[in-house]
Each structure stands twice: as structure tokens, then as C-alpha cells.
Amino acid sequence: MNTPPSYSCNIRQIQTDFFAMRLRAVGGDLTADQLNTVADIARRYGSGSVHITTRQGIEIPHVHKKDLAEAQKELETAGIKMGSDGNRVRIVIACPGKNTCRYGSIDTPEIAEEIDRRYFRLDVPYKVKFGVTGCPNNCGKARESDIGIMGMRTPKWDSEKCIRCNACIKLCPVQAITGKDDRYERDESTCIHCSVCSVLCPAKAWGPESTGYTLLIGGTLGKKPRLGIPLKTNIQTSEELFELIEQTLLFYKANGKPKERLGHVINRMGEDAVIQAILSESYSA
């Protein structure tokens, strides 16, 4: 008898006895060899097609129920694990982050891997989706996720490097930079910490004074969409970041009703009340 798979995530199709196998690709990352395995499984057990989901997931459709166990065994042998469904934490999505993107301020794959390691398939009142993005360009859908992590960069102006070209004023997407009397100033209340000035300044007069994280909560798409709200900005350490993520999940488990997304808990209880509760309360698992 074959050893049963660790767990499965197979989505029933309208075709009788056929399923789509949902795979686990944290941050959308798989090796070239793993992609070859996925293609091979799709050809031998499915219809030869693969579906790439909007959240960086991979699904192999048209797999007959009699082949699911064997197909999953072969996938797991190649290091490809199954995804998640139901009332659980789902697959984490992430942009490439600072490893390859000039605007990225944080190591998004590292954060995504740690979230996956700690919370993947955790039981919650309804599904929880994480999005990790390196900057406010939001390629990793942090604002649209139940819990989103966004990198931020605080810029600082260096008068000695500056050539007074006014490029920073023209390039700033929110007009947070002004120039007067041969000096440039940044309005902290307007700045979105997007790193545009520090990346595109031709003289490198704007440089990063610090980098950090913004933690967003309550985003969701679906039938009742809403954008996430900041729980805390300018978080300086990953330790504090994960403490706040932990508190958010515990709050949700304590207060969420069945089939109620975190964002809809916020709608019901009020933004200020939820933020205060997460930041001040201690919840036990």
C-alpha cells in the first residue's frame, strides 16, 4: 500500500470525478526542475494544461480522482507541496522585493517563507490571505490581503551631493518634496515612503535613512471588497512585525464569526476599536 500524502488540496470540478490540484508556491517561486515536474504531471495525469492563479498559485486541472494520490506523491518527491483551502491560512504571495527590484525595501521572499512556515494551514474563522510587497507600488497585493506587509523607506537629503536639478520635486508621486532657498525638504505627513526619490535622484542626493515595514490588516476582494488599513507603520524589526501578526491572528480567532473575513470583523467592530484591541490586548492561543 502506498504511503498516503501528508495532506491534499484538490478542487472539485463540474466534471464528475475530476479535480484541480492546487499547489503551494510560496511567493510564486518554484525551481525550473519543479516546473518541469508540474508540466510532466499535467501531461500524464491531467489534460496537459496548467492554470496560474491570480495569487501566484499553480493548479493542475482535469486530474481523475483515481490518480490524485499518485500524482501528489510524485509532486512531493520533487519538493512541491500542496496548497490550502477552507477556513485556513492560504498560500502567501510576494513580489521579488529588494533582491532584484530597485524599489524594494525589504526581503520579501524571506518574510513570505517565514509566514508560510509559521502559519500555513492555520485554522481561522474564514480564509486568511497574506500579501508581501517591497514598496508602496503594491505589486504583492498587500492592501488587498487580509494581512499585508509593505516595505517602506525613509529618505534623507544630502545637501553636498545635491545638484539642485529639481528632479525629486517632479518625480515625487505625492508632492511631498519642496525646494526653497537652495534647500529641499520632505513633508513626513505626506510622504508615502515609496523610495522613488532615493532611487531616481540623478545625483543620489536622496538616500535611505532607514527601512522598515508597514503592517496592513483587513484587505479583501471577492463579493464585498475593501482595502486594508495600517495597523502600524515604520516597524523596524522583523521580531516586532511577527509579534503584531501573531496578535492579529489571535484577535481574529477570538472575534471572527464563522465565514467572516478579518476585514468584515473590522467593519462590524470599527477600525479604531480593532486597532486598539490588537495593539493593547494579549490574546492566548
Side-chain angles (χ1 to χ4, degrees), residues 29-230:
D29 290 336
L30 290 174
T31 66
D33 287 341
Q34 288 173 330
L35 286 173
N36 284 334
T37 298
V38 171
D40 181 56
I41 295 294
R43 282 190 292 266
R44 290 192 291 115
Y45 295 110
S47 62
S49 66
V50 174
H51 175 64
I52 308 300
T53 75
T54 59
R55 292 188 60 86
Q56 300 178 332
I58 294 178
E59 293 178 358
I60 303 174
H62 304 293
V63 179
H64 195 275
K65 66 178 182 180
K66 67 179 175 58
D67 296 321
L68 291 171
E70 185 60 32
Q72 182 173 336
K73 181 180 178 181
E74 293 185 31
L75 288 164
E76 292 186 337
T77 299
I80 304 167
K81 299 179 181 179
M82 301 301 292
S84 178
D85 60 0
N87 300 337
R88 301 182 183 90
V89 172
R90 303 294 184 88
I91 300 167
V92 185
I93 72 168
C95 72
K98 71 176 185 180
N99 294 331
T100 58
C101 179
R102 59 180 177 168
Y103 294 107
S105 297
I106 59 174
D107 190 335
T108 53
E110 182 179 76
I111 295 295
E113 288 283 354
E114 185 62 18
I115 291 170
D116 179 79
R117 186 188 70 79
R118 294 190 188 205
Y119 305 120
F120 181 68
R121 289 182 64 86
L122 176 73
D123 289 329
V124 286
Y126 202 11
K127 53 191 172 186
V128 166
K129 298 179 179 180
F130 279 87
V132 187
T133 193
C135 75
N137 279 327
N138 196 35
C139 299
K141 296 185 178 180
R143 297 188 190 278
E144 296 86 356
S145 297
D146 299 272
I147 300 178
I149 296 90
M150 179 179 290
M152 57 175 292
R153 186 179 301 179
T154 300
K156 184 178 181 180
W157 178 65
D158 187 334
S159 63
E160 294 184 0
K161 292 182 178 179
C162 184
I163 58 175
R164 277 68 180 178
C165 66
N166 288 339
C168 56
I169 296 176
K170 299 173 184 176
L171 291 168
C172 178
V174 292
Q175 293 79 52
I177 298 174
T178 56
K180 184 178 180 181
D181 298 331
D182 213 31
R183 292 189 57 81
Y184 292 86
E185 296 182 351
R186 178 182 61 90
D187 182 357
E188 175 63 26
S189 64
T190 304
C191 177
I192 59 173
H193 302 269
C194 64
S195 75
V196 166
C197 59
S198 59
V199 170
L200 299 182
C201 174
K204 303 300 181 186
W206 287 97
E209 182 177 32
S210 66
T211 59
Y213 312 92
T214 293
L215 183 60
L216 300 149
I217 60 170
T220 181
L221 295 177
K223 301 180 186 70
K224 296 187 289 184
R226 75 187 309 278
L227 292 178
I229 59 173

